[in-house]
């Protein structure tokens, strides 16, 4: 091999150039939050989702919904007479990047608040950044619960608003044997811990518990294991592109929704489109909102979204939760009369909006929101039909304190 | 016990996927030594070709195979002609270069088709399955196995029976001597790249049956593709075939006994251990170059 002596030095210099911005970013860490985004006649807010990488499939749509909400607020005169200006950053499906970009939004752009995240790993990466800077994050996705940071508002479902109702539904359908499938990270593992505690208390048998790495695409072995175990239902906590591979490979294996329905908690309208409705039709999903949910606010939301992004676009639960987050934040700022973080936090408790999913109220104590649980059946046209819903909004209980079987968790 | 035997056809079908994604790389990486990180994006280009062609005719899925070969091949040709040929003999620069190209292509796909996955509807005759050794093997898996066999036979015939294939082997074995014998090595390089990239496109069409079709599709397969080529031995068709089959069964059984995450780790460990014993891979090309 020919050697080129100058190269190592240029390489080192390149490396330094790459690292320098990161070093500068960390150097700014301890600066105080300051004016919290409100300068002149503008309020800056951060939007931090993965616009590239494996999670982009899901997160880009949430960003779109959040931008729509900001547009709506500005059309009505903004917040406190000021225009809301979004600053968008790409978390790149990479957890350290989320922390780094959150720090950048807070200390460099001086945003009033940040809407962002999808995977629990990204939220856990951002949490210390927001707590250290005393800045606010609105997290719009259903998650595994067992968390309640004073600097995060959780507008997606916690477990007692999604997973527990789904288990109740399966039990009511006489499903006694379950197989658990999930991506290998914090949400599926914690969710399955809760499911196993529930199963142990209610006499449900867990036949298998399998995890695959994020981005895994080879499911034939797992499908074979499911076929071999013969469960009554599969509880699916896979995330991202893996769902496409899983459902495509499940079909044709002889496992049908009639014999073994799969209940998914991370497959919504957008994912159904990418999986191919014919591959997932007849299986169940658990969420708080579907595009087909009938409320006046949802008619307006779906119409506005299609008008802005195209008639072929679908709306889904996390998008709606992101859209709600922006509106809930705006109402809290209006009530507080300032974008100052502690005042907004204090004002947020009890804020209610008529969201596309129905009445949504912020719980001042744990900063989650009360939501209605809904079980849906995937249709051949890619839409989801509601087959069951809770009688009203369920009070958020991230630590499952009101469930006696959940004593050992948390 | 039944489930254990069931893993046989499953191992075979994993092997077929591995072989399809790695076959093109045996040319570009194996024969030419170009660490082409954009190989995965050529697979993605093939998948999007199938997406764009669907619905045009009733057999558009089959038509997509040659079209994807042409599309991905043309992209490979362009990449070789515009960039890679200026970087021969500088593997690390090529690695960075093609990695950059792969990022550009991913973003391009994101801008053209949107970030969410798109759907390629499998033709009716690929829906359903057959029972093999007591395991239900979906038709699309049978199709992928058949396609992999077809591609290997085609490549083998090309390399051994056609003058163009002989020229390619001559260039791999001793570039200077081939050049002095009147072979236009630059043109052979370009054609090798076209062939390797085109095969990636064909793999992309097949993968729409079993995996996601989105901008990051290539990133899911690129590491596996390199593993197969490295374990098989550079530039060796039979090496790639054997490595794909070995890794397919290894993956299938290890995942059956443990779980997907652990199986992945164990496969890596097995490959590292194997390369300690045989750094050159399963087979080595007998080069006559004076190095």
């Amino acid at each position: 091999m020919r050697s080129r002596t100058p190269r190592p030095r240029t390489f080192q210099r390149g490396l330094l150039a790459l690292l320098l911005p990161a070093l500068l970013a960390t150097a700014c860490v301890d600066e105080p939050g300051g004016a919290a985004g409100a300068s002149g006649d503008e309020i800056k807010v951060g939007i931090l989702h993965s616009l590239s990488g494996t999670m982009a499939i899901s997160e880009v749509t949430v960003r779109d919904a959040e931008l729509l909400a900001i547009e709506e607020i500005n059309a009505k005169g903004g917040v406190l007479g000021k225009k809301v200006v979004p600053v968008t950053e790409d978390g790149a499906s990479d957890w350290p990047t989320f922390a780094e970009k959150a720090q950048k939004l807070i200390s460099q752009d001086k945003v009033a608040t940040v809407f962002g995240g999808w995977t629990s790993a990204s939220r856990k990466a951002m949490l210390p950044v927001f707590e250290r800077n005393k800045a606010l994050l609105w997290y719009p996705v259903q998650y595994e619960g067992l968390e309640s940071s004073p600097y995060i508002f959780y507008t997606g479902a916690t477990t007692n608003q999604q997973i527990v109702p789904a288990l109740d539904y399966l039990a009511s359908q006489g499903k006694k044997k379950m197989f658990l499938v999930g991506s290998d990270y914090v949400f599926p593992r914690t969710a399955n811990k809760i499911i196993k505690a529930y199963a142990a208390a209610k006499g449900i048998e867990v036949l298998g518990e399998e995890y695959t790495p994020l981005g895994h695409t080879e499911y034939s072995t797992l499908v074979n294991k499911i076929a071999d175990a013969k469960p009554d239902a599969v509880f699916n906590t896979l995330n991202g592109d893996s769902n496409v591979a899983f459902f495509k490979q499940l079909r044709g294996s002889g496992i049908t929704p009639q014999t073994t329905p799969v209940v998914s908690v991370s497959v919504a309208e957008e994912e159904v489109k990418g999986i191919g409705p014919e591959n997932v039709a007849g299986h169940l999903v658990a969420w708080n909102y579907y595009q087909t949910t009938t409320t006046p606010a949802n008619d307006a939301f779906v119409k506005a979204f299609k008008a802005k992004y195209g008639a072929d676009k679908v709306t889904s639960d996390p998008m709606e939760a992101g859209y709600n987050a922006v509106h809930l934040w705006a109402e809290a700022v209006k009530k507080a009369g300032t974008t100052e973080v502690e005042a907004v936090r204090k004002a947020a408790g009890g804020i209610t909006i008529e969201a596309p999913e129905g009445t949504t109220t912020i719980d001042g104590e744990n900063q989650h929101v009360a939501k209605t649980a809904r079980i849906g059946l995937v249709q051949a046209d890619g839409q989801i039909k509601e087959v069951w819903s809770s009688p009203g909004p369920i009070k958020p209980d991230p630590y499952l304190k009101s469930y006696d079987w959940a004593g050992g968790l948390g | 016990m039944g489930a254990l035997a069931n893993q046989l056809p499953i191992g075979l079908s994993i092997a077929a996927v591995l072989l399809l994604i790695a076959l093109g790389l045996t040319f570009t990486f194996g024969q030419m030594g170009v660490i082409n990180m954009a190989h995965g994006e050529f697979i993605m280009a093939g998948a999007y070709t199938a997406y764009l062609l669907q619905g045009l005719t009733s057999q558009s899925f089959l038509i997509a195979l040659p079209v994807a070969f042409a599309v991905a091949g043309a992209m490979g040709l362009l990449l070789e002609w515009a960039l890679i040929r200026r970087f021969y003999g500088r593997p690390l620069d090529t690695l960075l270069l093609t990695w950059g190209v792969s990022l550009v292509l991913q973003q391009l796909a994101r801008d053209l088709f949107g970030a969410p996955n798109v759907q390629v509807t499998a033709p009716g005759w690929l829906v359903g399955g057959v029972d093999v050794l007591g395991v239900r093997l979906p038709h699309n898996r049978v199709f992928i196995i058949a396609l992999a066999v077809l591609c290997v036979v085609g490549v083998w015939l090309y390399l051994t029976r056609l003058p163009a294939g002989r020229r390619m082997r001559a260039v791999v074995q001793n570039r200077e001597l081939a050049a002095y014998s009147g072979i236009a090595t630059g043109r052979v390089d370009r054609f090798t790249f076209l062939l390797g990239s085109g095969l990636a496109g064909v793999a992309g069409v097949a993968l729409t049956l079993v995996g996601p079709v989105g901008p990051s599709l290539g990133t899911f397969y690129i590491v596996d593709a390199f593993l197969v080529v490295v374990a098989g031995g550079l530039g060796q068709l039979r090496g790639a075939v054997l490595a794909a089959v070995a890794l397919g069964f290894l993956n299938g059984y290890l995942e059956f006994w443990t779980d997907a995450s652990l199986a992945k780790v164990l496969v890596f460990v097995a490959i590292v251990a194997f390369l300690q014993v045989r750094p050159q891979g399963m087979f080595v090309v007998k080069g006559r170059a004076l190095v």
Side-chain angles (χ1 to χ4, degrees):
Chain A
M1 182 157 294
R2 274 165 290 174
S3 68
R4 282 154 201 268
T5 31
R7 180 127 350 91
R9 223 168 52 211
T10 17
F11 180 70
Q12 277 175 353
R13 209 176 298 152
L15 201 66
L16 196 68
L18 280 173
L19 288 176
L20 210 59
L23 289 173
L24 287 175
T26 38
C28 303
V29 164
D30 290 324
E31 262 177 47
S39 61
D41 50 2
E42 285 185 351
I43 297 177
K44 277 205 269 186
V45 296
I47 299 217
L48 177 46
H49 288 289
S50 298
L51 311 180
S52 54
T54 183
M55 291 312 298
I57 170 184
S58 305
E59 291 192 58
V60 166
T61 63
V62 180
R63 175 204 61 179
D64 290 346
E66 287 164 354
L67 291 177
L68 173 67
I70 291 174
E71 206 170 83
E72 287 177 359
I73 289 166
N74 286 335
K76 285 187 186 154
V79 180
L80 307 177
K82 293 176 184 176
K83 194 169 165 250
V84 181
V85 181
V87 182
T88 306
E89 285 292 343
D90 179 7
S93 309
D94 177 57
W95 327 136
T97 306
F98 268 97
E100 200 182 295
K101 293 290 169 88
Q103 184 63 53
K104 183 240 166 202
L105 284 168
I106 296 164
S107 51
Q108 202 174 317
D109 299 312
K110 306 215 181 302
V111 296
T113 187
V114 175
F115 304 96
W118 176 293
T119 63
S120 290
S122 71
R123 188 190 67 255
K124 297 255 184 224
M126 290 189 286
L127 184 142
V129 178
F130 283 94
E131 292 192 343
R132 190 170 59 222
N133 291 277
K134 299 199 185 326
L136 265 193
L137 170 69
W138 295 74
Y139 174 73
V141 184
Q142 43 74 236
Y143 81 114
E144 70 281 0
L146 310 177
E147 187 182 297
S148 174
S149 162
Y151 292 98
I152 299 180
F153 280 92
Y154 308 78
T155 63
T158 176
T159 43
N160 78 314
Q161 300 164 314
Q162 186 193 27
I163 290 174
V164 176
L167 291 168
D168 285 340
Y169 177 80
L170 286 179
S172 77
Q173 299 289 306
K175 306 291 184 193
K176 287 272 164 218
K177 290 180 282 181
M178 255 192 284
F179 199 101
L180 313 181
V181 176
S183 294
D184 206 352
Y185 72 102
V186 53
F187 165 67
R189 283 196 178 263
T190 315
N192 284 343
K193 227 193 290 174
I194 292 166
I195 294 170
K196 281 186 287 180
Y198 179 97
K202 310 265 167 151
I204 293 171
E205 202 184 335
V206 175
L207 300 177
E209 182 184 1
E210 292 280 334
Y211 299 95
T212 62
L214 270 175
H216 194 64
T217 54
E218 184 53 71
Y219 282 93
S220 43
T221 304
L222 187 51
V223 167
N224 186 20
K225 280 186 187 177
I226 296 172
D228 209 42
K230 296 188 181 58
D232 295 336
V234 176
F235 207 101
N236 168 24
T237 43
L238 290 174
N239 261 256
D241 295 302
S242 291
N243 274 308
V244 183
F246 175 65
F247 279 105
K248 276 186 179 173
Q249 293 169 33
L250 190 68
R251 195 183 182 215
S253 69
I255 298 172
T256 64
Q258 287 74 40
T259 56
T260 317
V262 177
V263 190
S264 309
V265 291
S266 300
V267 173
E269 286 86 345
E270 189 65 55
E271 287 76 20
V272 168
K273 225 168 85 175
I275 296 166
E278 77 271 13
N279 293 319
V280 60
H283 290 293
L284 295 165
V285 292
W287 292 101
N288 307 91
Y289 164 89
Y290 303 111
Q291 187 174 327
T292 55
T293 301
T294 46
T295 62
N298 189 34
D299 292 345
F301 171 56
V302 173
K303 218 155 127 201
F305 195 85
K306 284 179 183 273
K308 186 166 161 65
Y309 297 107
D312 59 326
K313 292 284 188 279
V314 292
T315 58
S316 67
D317 184 291
M319 289 161 71
E320 191 253 0
Y323 174 85
N324 292 351
V326 177
H327 281 293
L328 287 166
W329 165 79
E331 291 307 313
V333 170
K334 281 181 202 164
K335 188 173 157 198
T338 167
T339 57
E340 203 269 313
V341 170
E342 299 302 333
V344 172
R345 280 187 54 216
K346 214 167 284 162
I351 292 273
T352 293
I353 59 166
E354 282 308 316
E357 68 180 70
T359 309
T360 337
T361 313
I362 297 181
D363 186 309
E365 206 177 304
N366 54 35
Q367 302 195 164
H368 289 58
V369 297
K371 297 169 82 77
T372 306
R374 293 184 165 90
I375 306 296
L377 189 68
V378 180
Q379 309 289 297
D381 66 353
Q383 283 297 323
I384 297 168
K385 191 179 88 183
E386 183 178 311
V387 292
W388 177 89
S389 76
S390 61
I394 301 172
K395 193 176 150 33
D397 183 3
Y399 293 95
L400 298 172
K401 285 181 202 143
S402 50
Y403 301 84
D404 41 0
W405 51 264
L409 302 163
Chain B
M1 178 54 218
L4 202 65
N6 287 351
Q7 281 303 112
L8 275 173
I10 283 171
L12 201 63
S13 72
I14 299 174
V17 170
L18 289 175
L19 188 56
L20 267 183
I21 57 175
L23 201 55
L25 210 60
T26 57
F27 285 98
T28 52
F29 178 47
Q31 311 239 354
M32 295 168 67
V34 172
I35 303 179
N36 182 16
M37 298 299 284
H39 185 77
E41 277 57 47
F42 294 153
I43 298 177
M44 173 191 78
Y48 273 115
T49 306
Y51 166 68
L52 290 176
L53 287 179
Q54 71 178 343
L56 287 186
T57 70
S58 56
Q59 290 307 320
S60 48
F61 187 78
L62 286 181
I63 295 170
L65 290 169
V67 178
F69 183 90
V71 169
M75 288 170 69
L77 195 66
L78 188 71
L79 178 68
E80 201 277 344
W81 174 79
L83 295 167
I84 288 178
R85 70 188 168 115
R86 297 164 213 278
F87 289 88
Y88 281 130
R90 291 157 66 180
L92 287 181
D93 294 353
T94 325
L95 185 146
L96 282 176
L97 178 83
T98 52
W99 188 55
V101 170
S102 95
L103 293 180
V104 170
L105 288 177
Q106 280 176 39
Q107 192 56 43
L108 196 68
R110 206 165 280 128
D111 291 341
L112 285 176
F113 305 103
N117 286 332
V118 296
Q119 172 206 358
V120 175
T121 312
W125 49 273
L126 283 178
V127 176
V130 286
D131 287 311
V132 184
L133 295 173
V135 67
R136 201 169 160 81
L137 205 58
H139 284 153
N140 52 31
R141 288 287 184 170
V142 179
F143 174 79
I144 286 177
I145 294 172
L147 184 67
V149 171
L150 207 71
C151 285
V152 168
V153 171
V155 165
W156 178 76
L157 284 178
Y158 173 81
L159 283 176
T160 54
R161 294 287 182 271
L162 289 183
R166 272 203 299 274
R167 282 198 292 274
M168 192 183 289
R169 283 187 298 150
V171 173
V172 169
Q173 290 186 355
N174 190 324
R175 179 172 292 271
E176 278 80 23
L177 196 58
Y180 292 140
S181 322
I183 293 176
T185 55
R187 201 191 301 159
V188 170
D189 285 342
R190 223 159 299 149
F191 195 76
T192 309
F193 221 84
L194 181 145
L195 202 61
S197 311
L199 285 168
V202 172
V205 176
L207 288 177
T208 62
L209 296 172
V210 292
V213 185
S216 29
L217 185 159
T219 55
F220 302 137
Y221 297 104
I222 185 75
V223 174
D224 286 336
F226 273 104
L227 284 184
V228 169
V229 178
V230 171
L234 299 187
Q236 284 292 47
L237 190 58
R238 55 187 169 152
V241 173
L242 206 67
V245 171
L247 289 178
F249 282 111
L250 203 60
N251 257 309
Y253 276 101
L254 284 176
E255 187 181 336
F256 184 76
W257 285 320
T258 60
D259 61 62
S261 305
L262 195 58
K264 210 147 203 155
V265 174
L266 292 176
V267 167
F268 272 112
V269 170
I271 289 176
V272 169
F274 174 73
L275 290 179
Q276 293 303 311
V277 186
R278 270 190 82 82
Q280 67 276 49
M282 289 175 181
F283 297 98
V284 213
V285 72
K286 286 187 193 70
R288 288 174 180 81
L290 305 166
V291 251

